[in-house]
Amino acid sequence: MCVYNRDKALCHRLGTSNTLTLDRCVSACANIARTNRHAAQLRAEAEHLEKQAASEMVTEPLADRFRQRADTLRDLADQHHHNRIANQEKTTT
């Protein structure tokens, strides 16, 4: 999800557009906002890619690309987990 702020948008470094450019989205952009649900979807997609890579029907170069993309997706999900802002429960004493 993009919380578009032109001053932080990395997609603008690739072109001259003054609008949101999702087809040029950069995964390290400060405008990206992920929810826990997004992170879970990234992990599910990584698992799906790993299963595809394990198929005997897939050539080794393609399997390598699937595994590399799966690793990238898991890294993004891990970053979300470590950097997320979460509500803390109040403790009663």
Side-chain angles (χ1 to χ4, degrees), residues 7-56:
D7 295 335
K8 296 179 184 178
L10 295 180
C11 61
H12 288 293
R13 292 185 181 18
L14 302 173
T16 59
S17 174
N18 275 340
T19 61
L20 173 67
T21 314
L22 290 177
D23 62 328
R24 294 186 181 175
C25 189
V26 179
S27 64
C29 184
N31 286 337
I32 291 178
R34 289 189 179 90
T35 65
N36 291 340
R37 185 179 206 177
H38 293 134
Q41 289 171 339
L42 290 171
R43 289 187 194 284
E45 180 62 18
E47 185 176 320
H48 176 72
L49 289 170
E50 288 287 353
K51 286 180 183 176
Q52 284 184 302
S55 170
E56 293 178 7

Side-chain angles (χ1 to χ4, degrees), residues 46-67:
E47 185 176 320
H48 176 72
L49 289 170
E50 288 287 353
K51 286 180 183 176
Q52 284 184 302
S55 170
E56 293 178 7
M57 302 296 290
V58 174
T59 64
E60 197 57 37
L62 184 56
D64 289 342
R65 280 184 260 158
F66 284 160
R67 284 189 285 271

